[in-house]
Amino acid sequence: MSQAPEARPSPPSVYHERQRLELCAVHALNNVLQEQLFSQEAADEICKRLAPDSRLNPHRSLLGTGN
């Protein structure tokens, strides 16, 4: 009597965002948290709250292409 091969569990899927513009912080956070929780708009809002009175926000790219 032959036995059926053992079913192997499939490896867990991994969430990964590719790098776009200079959004390193957004992609890193989403990759670590394994889902899309942060967007460029959310990161921009956080930057504004970190330096609300700053003319040139030190937490944001000068070109507006990232964080």
Side-chain angles (χ1 to χ4, degrees):
M1 177 188 233
S2 66
Q3 294 180 341
E6 290 184 33
R8 296 178 191 232
S10 60
S13 63
V14 175
Y15 181 84
H16 175 73
E17 287 184 0
R18 293 182 143 260
Q19 180 67 35
R20 185 176 66 82
L21 301 174
E22 294 177 283
L23 300 173
C24 305
V26 171
H27 298 308
L29 286 168
N30 288 338
N31 289 336
V32 166
L33 297 172
Q34 287 293 287
E35 61 183 296
Q36 186 179 2
L37 294 174
F38 291 90
S39 65
Q40 181 175 3
E41 293 78 20
D44 288 343
E45 184 58 37
I46 292 168
C47 289
K48 288 176 193 170
R49 285 188 275 155
L50 288 172
D53 300 326
S54 191
R55 232 178 127 172
L56 292 176
N57 193 311
H59 304 286
R60 189 165 185 243
S61 167
L62 290 174
L63 300 175
T65 58
N67 45 37

